[in-house]
Amino acid sequence: MDERPCPDRLLAAAGTALTGSLNQRRILRTVVELVVAEVADAAVAVGPGDGQQVDCARLAHGGRAATFQAYRTDLDAVPGLAQVCGGLDPPFGQSVPAATTPAWLWPPEFRPAGELVLVAMPLAVGVGAALILARGPGRPPFRDEERAMLRTFGVQAGQALTAAALYREQGEAMAVLKAELLPLPLPEIQGVEVAGAVRPAEEGLRIGGDFFDVFPPAGDPARSVVVLGDVTGKGAPAAVLTGKVRQSLRALQLVEQRPTELLRVLNDALLQSGDGDGHRFVTMVVGAMRPSGHNSAPLELTLATGGHPPPLVLRSDGTVTEVAVAGALIGVTKNLRMRPATVELAPGEMCLLYSDGLTEARGGPAERQQYGDRRLRQALGSCRGMPAGATVDRLQQLSSEWVGEGEHDDVALLVIRALPVGAPA
């Protein structure tokens, strides 16, 4: 057994073993497996905790696999452990009397003897982790060259744990960003049925530059605001600008519900903040909904666009028409010119707001042809008599079938359907 420790093999194995994972618990297991295989009779790796709980991986020589457990414990129970887990480096080769360690620290089948070695695994994110190594009764103490090697090994392990911590932080930050960019729950608005969906280009990221929002009546008690937009780019950069635009609109619509004015104020805000620089811009359609006052066409919808595809209207006879609106890109030029339009919807009729990722999606038999305006109109026409939610589902299904396994841009859809006077949302 005296011939088993081999420090040189430990550093050679650590180079590849510790870089194979970005999971903190898996790294802690790997750490104890490496040192028990080459240097120690037992080892405990204590990961960075949250101040109340620490992660511990334990293994004794002869054990089948490292066990893992999260403890709510006092780190001061092991001399020097609290300082190391707080990011401080212990004195070189610091030893800990085996008798001072608590019973929970070691695997049940192992009891340490003599002096233990406490090794720091420093992280570059302000905290630290620790490795405690022990040898059993009758075994020689750790030599100075072994302690020096373990210090180097601790630095390697700390680098792997740092990468795992940064990866976790990135994931947490992305989760917060995704939550901010998810469409808000659609409000219930008297006389209107609304449904929408967003399909990002990067399915793994689940965020993108297309968005929609529906705001209930605010400043004008009879008028609700709907928005659908498309920010240039894909992935996280587009998502950040999307978040800024949506937050701005949420505030603006509280005091202004006219679509043209909302677009003008947003355009000025983007230009002044530097977010609109000619290379990063937004296309958008904004609509204001209000009761028309007569039963034959109870919903009046005023629309304005900024460089966005014109909305489509599905009439009760199945015909599909394009709303005659036009406008310049948002965030490019100060003199924003727009041509708004107002349409009235009879009960069952609907208006579709969509992003160009839908019509520009390539697929079909040759996998290179765009879905196009004609197919979209045919697809919308086939939704006559459907509820708003079913219409969104059908349009998504047809476009997905067209694209198949190919790549696509971000896609956003919003359907506004008029209900009979007095009907609930």
Side-chain angles (χ1 to χ4, degrees):
M1 190 171 181
D2 290 349
E3 297 178 357
R4 182 172 55 82
C6 185
D8 294 336
R9 285 205 306 258
L10 175 62
L11 293 181
T16 55
L18 292 177
T19 58
S21 175
L22 288 173
N23 181 282
Q24 176 178 298
R25 294 188 172 187
R26 190 170 294 118
I27 292 172
L28 293 176
R29 285 193 177 99
T30 301
V31 164
V32 295
E33 290 168 356
L34 287 171
V35 295
V36 169
E38 303 295 349
V39 179
D41 294 334
V44 180
V46 182
D50 59 4
Q52 297 179 334
Q53 181 169 293
V54 293
D55 293 338
C56 293
R58 306 178 301 175
L59 182 64
H61 182 59
R64 292 186 176 181
T67 60
F68 186 90
Q69 191 167 352
Y71 288 100
R72 290 188 175 276
T73 185
D74 182 7
L75 296 179
D76 290 327
V78 179
L81 183 58
Q83 290 81 0
V84 173
C85 290
L88 300 178
D89 199 11
F92 174 71
Q94 177 173 326
S95 296
V96 178
T100 64
T101 57
W104 60 262
L105 194 63
W106 302 104
E109 68 277 10
F110 179 80
R111 287 295 176 265
E115 297 290 317
L116 314 178
V117 175
L118 178 62
V119 178
M121 297 187 290
L123 278 70
V125 289
V127 295
L131 177 62
I132 307 171
L133 300 99
R135 285 180 175 163
R139 296 278 288 121
F142 291 95
R143 304 188 305 271
D144 289 343
E145 58 268 25
E146 289 177 326
R147 295 171 186 265
M149 176 275 305
L150 288 170
R151 184 181 180 90
T152 302
F153 174 77
V155 172
Q156 289 180 297
Q159 291 171 347
L161 289 169
T162 296
L166 294 175
Y167 180 76
R168 184 181 66 251
E169 289 179 3
Q170 182 184 34
E172 292 171 352
M174 191 60 67
V176 173
L177 181 59
K178 286 162 62 177
E180 279 293 312
L181 295 176
L182 290 175
L184 296 173
L186 295 176
E188 294 186 357
I189 301 174
Q190 186 69 33
V192 184
E193 182 187 24
V194 290
V198 174
R199 185 179 66 188
E202 300 182 36
E203 293 292 342
L205 196 59
R206 300 299 300 168
I207 57 176
D210 288 18
F211 66 94
F212 68 83
D213 279 308
V214 178
F215 303 106
D220 185 341
R223 183 179 293 180
S224 306
V225 175
V226 297
V227 177
L228 187 141
D230 180 359
V231 173
T232 53
K234 298 179 183 178
V240 171
L241 183 54
T242 299
K244 292 181 180 180
V245 170
R246 291 183 68 191
Q247 290 291 346
S248 298
L249 287 170
R250 289 174 192 174
L252 290 174
Q253 61 86 30
L254 294 175
V255 295
E256 176 62 72
Q257 292 80 43
R258 291 173 295 175
T260 53
E261 294 309 307
L262 278 171
L263 289 175
R264 284 196 175 96
V265 175
L266 178 63
N267 183 67
D268 292 342
L270 290 178
L271 291 174
Q272 291 179 8
S273 66
D275 289 315
D277 57 4
H279 301 286
R280 300 177 64 195
F281 53 84
V282 185
T283 72
M284 189 180 304
V285 55
V286 178
M289 305 182 296
R290 64 187 308 169
S292 66
H294 48 88
N295 295 341
S296 60
L299 182 63
E300 180 184 280
L301 184 58
T302 300
L303 296 159
T305 64
H308 203 82
L312 300 177
V313 173
L314 174 60
R315 295 300 184 183
S316 55
D317 61 359
T319 60
V320 176
T321 59
E322 183 179 277
V323 181
V325 290
L329 298 169
I330 306 301
V332 174
T333 178
K334 185 171 179 59
N335 297 319
L336 191 63
R337 295 185 179 183
M338 289 173 286
R339 186 181 69 206
T342 299
V343 296
E344 292 186 344
L345 300 180
E349 294 183 341
M350 62 182 74
C351 180
L352 169 66
L353 281 56
Y354 65 96
S355 61
D356 58 11
L358 180 59
T359 52
E360 294 178 359
R362 295 185 179 274
E367 300 183 352
R368 294 191 302 270
Q369 190 174 2
Q370 289 189 348
Y371 190 64
D373 296 333
R374 181 178 61 84
R375 289 184 182 85
L376 176 58
R377 294 190 184 202
Q378 290 175 344
L380 181 60
S382 69
C383 298
R384 175 187 176 189
M386 290 185 178
T391 300
V392 170
D393 291 342
R394 177 166 175 77
L395 294 177
Q396 285 200 108
Q397 176 189 359
L398 293 174
S399 64
S400 296
E401 291 174 353
W402 177 260
V403 174
E405 298 298 325
E407 296 182 356
H408 61 84
D409 201 351
D410 299 330
V411 176
L413 299 170
L414 183 66
V415 170
I416 304 160
R417 181 171 178 262
L419 298 175
V421 175

